[in-house]
Amino acid sequence: MREQVRFAVLGPVGAWRGAGEVDLGPPRQRAVLAVLLLAEGGRVPVDRLVDALWGAAPPASAVGSVRTYVHRLRRALGEDAALIRSVGDAYVVRSLPGDLDLAAFRELTARAEPARREGDLHGAAVHLRDALALWRGPALSGVRGEFAQVRREQLEALRLSALESLLAIRLDLGEHAQVVTELAVLVAGHPLDERFREMLMLALYRCGRQSAALETYAEARTLLAEELGVDPAPALQRLYERILRGDGDLLAVPGAGGPATANRHRATPDAVTPNVVTPNVGAPDAVASDAVPSDALAPDAAPSYTVAPDAVAPAPSATPRQPSPHGPSRPVPAQLPSDLPGFVGREAQLGLASALVPEGDAPSGTVVIGGTAGVGKTAFAIHWARRIAPRFPDGQLYLNLRGFDPVGAPVPPAQALRTLLEALGVPPRELPEDQDALAARLRTVLTGRRVLILLDNARDAGQIRPLLPGAPGCLVIVTSRNRLGGLVAVDGARPLRLDVLTAREGRDLLLRRLGAGRVAAEPEAVREIVELCARLPLALAVAAARAADRTAFPLAALADELAEGHGSLDAFTDADQAADVRAVLSWSYHALSPAAARLFRLLVLHPGPDVSLPAAASLAGLGTAATRSLLGELVHAHLVDEPAPGRYAWHDLLRAYAAELSAGTDGADEIRAARRRMADHYLHSAYAAARVMDLTRDRIVLAEPSPGVHSESHTTPQRAMAWFGTERAVLVAVLREASAHGFDVHAWQLAWCVEHHFGRQGLWHELGVTLRTALESADRLGDPTALAHIHRGLAQAESYAKRTGDARAHIERAIELFAKVGDVPALTESHRQLSVVLEVQGDLEGALDHHRQALELLGPDGDGRLRSWILNGLGWYHSLLGRHREALEFCAAALELARARDDDYTLGHVLNSIGHARHHLGAHDEAVAAFEEALARFRHVGGVPWAEAHTLASLADSRLGLGQPDQARALLAEGVRILERLGHPDAGALREKLAALTPDGDRAARSG
């Protein structure tokens, strides 16, 4: 009886006959066996072996060397040489789960999920521990080259996935204390992997370490922002919020109770006993840890991958293939192009796409894959088609319809029908001439078959409609730069839009093309390359090809080259037009109408990140109806996108292409006129919003807008606030552009318009940026009124950023200038604002004095709303000075004025001052009532999150004073969440206050 031969790839590549290890020869010979084993029973052509061993530059003798290595391997394996069989120009290694550690690993991990679904957590843990125990170190150890590195990373991902599942089960079993250290090590080794960080946060929280759990999240948020420019995933954010508010439900262990979890508090190594796969290494404790060290197996030990037959769960399978009614004589076409080797990501879209595949007798489906030029529509379609090809046993057809071909004309439907019918085995002589008859014949031939048809690069719906099947069971995949809305509306096609890659997918693309070592060595350069390529797959592929050709150059050199040419497509040119970004984009542009082409060029003047319909109309000097039609044409051609209703956007390379076209087509006068119209649009729209939001604010005078400008009106404060929120990033960018192009009056006046909204929202950074830019314009103008307004705004921004010295210099300069020009209302408001600066500096008497000056300047007939603000300030500063009863007198007068106007925003601040005084007088019930009404007023107004957060903190103090620590913790947690979202400097202090609050709340309760 022959001894069993066992193979290993989950560690050093090896083979064993019985108890003895087989000498597999030199590294390349060992690598040949590794490639064959990784196919897991599949055919491996010789040319693939050559690619795996030598990459893109094999020697002339490569094929002969491969055959020699195979011959030697057969001889080393002795009487089981038949294990490596020749099949044509390929080789196959037949292995069962008991022969190969990787197959056994897959078998065991596949069993774990059904066990877990059925509630057998211990059984699932057994399978996963046994699977992980098969690893003897990094996979494919000792095998060099890019192929091995890519597969090593894929296998490591499998291991981490299994480890994640095991750790999740252990958490469900209540082993949080035992897994904390292991999870901390995993997070340190995989800092961007949010799966392990989420489990670590949960384990820490269950161990009573809430602060450590929150710090783990804060570290993740900072790291993700710095490394990838993204926020934590929604799941991690939700867990953070639950931990922040002390959610008791998180402490419940899902596996507690019930027979499957009876032993959940036992020590980790003994919680489950491996009973299916046993690495036979001569050491009974070799699998005591989930992370098996690389030296866990002695070099001369022979592993065993025995899988108990009665424990094998049936593998999931697709619907059994039904025999074709047409019999074996019919050809089965398999025309799909090869999958792109560098294809990465798109898992969400692939999942959505696969859900659209018709099952059984369901009607045939059509999926239209759209997206801008270079986004990877064809690569995605081919990758998806190959993934689902087994579900279409009667054939897979591919046809390039050349809808946007640089050379040839689009393929006529009749020609396409003939090509498809011939591929399905219909003799050419039997094909009719008439297009309708050809379409009917295709529907007849496809009846009763399950066929996949991939129609690439379609021009319009008319080119596709005759090619659609009529009977159930088929799937048509269409790619097009146009949206093919008619096919969706009339023929029931399902649209699937591709966007540019995520930052992580862009990095993965470079990793696949350039290798892990090169990418890991220069993470910052990789990040820059991904962003400078606008995360567009075609541009990334061109950049990767350039880097691959210059292996001696660092990636930082390529990043510098792209940065120097930013705003140009010169870095993305190629002799092959299909790989030339400029050429590929031009095919869509030249199909536009002249009016749509002009709008596309002018849109580059808009600084983004997106543009509304009225703004686009003002930019072009056209009516909104005409502009809506032209934008629809651009969206249809995927030259702009509509990510939200009425909002239009485009990526950086489309912007660069439009800029090149505009520079060569549009005159300087037309461009300047368009810039002025854009600046007029945003200035007049923002001014209208600012006036609606604060009717009593001092005014500025605007010039009339240019002809063709369609500024936006706002009927209520809520709508004005919503408009400011939507246009926030655009307004900052437009102000910067206005200043840069000499529209200095627009720049400072736009800063005046946004100042109030940004301040209420707590957007101190944006406020500072806009005002500093506006100050440059005001300085160039030399206008004292402009300078006074901007200095006053800067004082507010600097004050909230805790730069009180700068804030005081700005507000004192504003007071000087307003006094010089005789603007008494603005001077009054400036004295009140100087009080805020002095408060932050600790000069409370000085703050009180300037509020008195403001009240004197206002006079008896001054604005009632401003009077209520000044009276409230007088009350606030009296309270801060410990004069709480005097404070309540001023606040009562302010409250009466504010209630008469039903002014929610002012009422919120006055009630806050009253609550502060009441709290410090020991009247905690009355303080709670005041704070709760203030909170309700702020929430009714909306858009004042910083005021809401500080009110929550004050309310928490009063709740503590009443001996209600649970309510106080919940209020503080909500306040922390708001301030952290704003990036407010007070977030840290409030977070510390929450963390220091003991469960019984005694310490903080006595401090108020």
Side-chain angles (χ1 to χ4, degrees), residues 844-845 848 852 874-890 917 921:
L844 297 179
E845 290 290 357
L848 186 61
R852 289 178 177 135
L874 288 168
W876 174 250
Y877 292 121
H878 274 93
S879 185
L880 290 180
L881 287 164
R883 307 164 192 166
H884 304 300
R885 298 196 184 281
E886 292 175 75
L888 288 173
E889 294 178 12
F890 284 108
L921 287 170

Side-chain angles (χ1 to χ4, degrees), residues 32 59 260 285 330 345 353 501 542 628 763 850 920 979 981:
V32 168
D285 59 349
R330 292 278 187 173
L501 299 175
V542 173
R628 181 183 289 109
L763 303 173
H850 278 279
H920 285 85
L979 293 180
R981 187 175 68 244

Side-chain angles (χ1 to χ4, degrees), residues 292-502:
V292 180
S294 60
D295 58 352
L297 292 182
D300 56 351
S304 170
Y305 317 124
T306 305
V307 181
D310 59 349
V312 177
S317 61
T319 303
R321 171 178 171 174
Q322 301 298 321
S324 170
H326 299 279
S329 61
R330 292 278 187 173
V332 179
Q335 297 182 341
L336 295 176
S338 61
D339 206 351
L340 185 68
F343 186 89
V344 296
R346 304 290 197 195
E347 289 303 323
Q349 294 90 336
L350 286 167
L352 290 172
S354 295
L356 304 177
V357 178
E359 297 287 353
D361 295 329
S364 293
T366 302
V367 178
V368 178
I369 299 171
T372 191
V375 82
K377 298 181 290 294
T378 298
F380 176 88
I382 292 170
H383 184 81
W384 176 41
R386 285 199 157 276
R387 177 181 284 195
I388 61 174
R391 300 168 70 174
F392 297 91
D394 296 311
Q396 306 92 41
L397 303 174
Y398 172 84
L399 185 58
N400 184 352
L401 295 176
R402 304 190 182 282
F404 294 87
D405 194 273
V407 180
V411 176
Q415 181 182 334
L417 286 163
R418 289 178 176 277
T419 302
L420 294 175
L421 285 165
E422 289 178 21
L424 290 166
V426 180
R429 63 180 179 277
E430 296 181 11
L431 295 177
E433 294 297 324
D434 180 68
Q435 178 175 305
D436 291 341
L438 286 166
R441 185 64 180 275
L442 178 65
R443 293 192 293 271
T444 300
V445 170
L446 290 175
T447 299
R449 292 186 175 189
R450 287 186 63 80
V451 176
L452 184 153
I453 305 173
L454 173 48
L455 302 174
D456 194 17
N457 197 14
R459 183 78 175 192
D460 51 40
Q463 192 183 23
I464 296 295
R465 196 166 282 123
L467 313 182
L468 300 180
C474 295
L475 175 67
V476 178
I477 303 173
V478 182
T479 73
S480 179
R481 296 187 186 190
N482 287 336
R483 300 186 75 179
L484 305 187
L487 207 64
V488 174
V490 177
D491 301 281
R494 304 290 294 275
L496 182 67
R497 182 186 173 279
L498 297 184
D499 203 346
V500 295
L501 299 175
T502 65

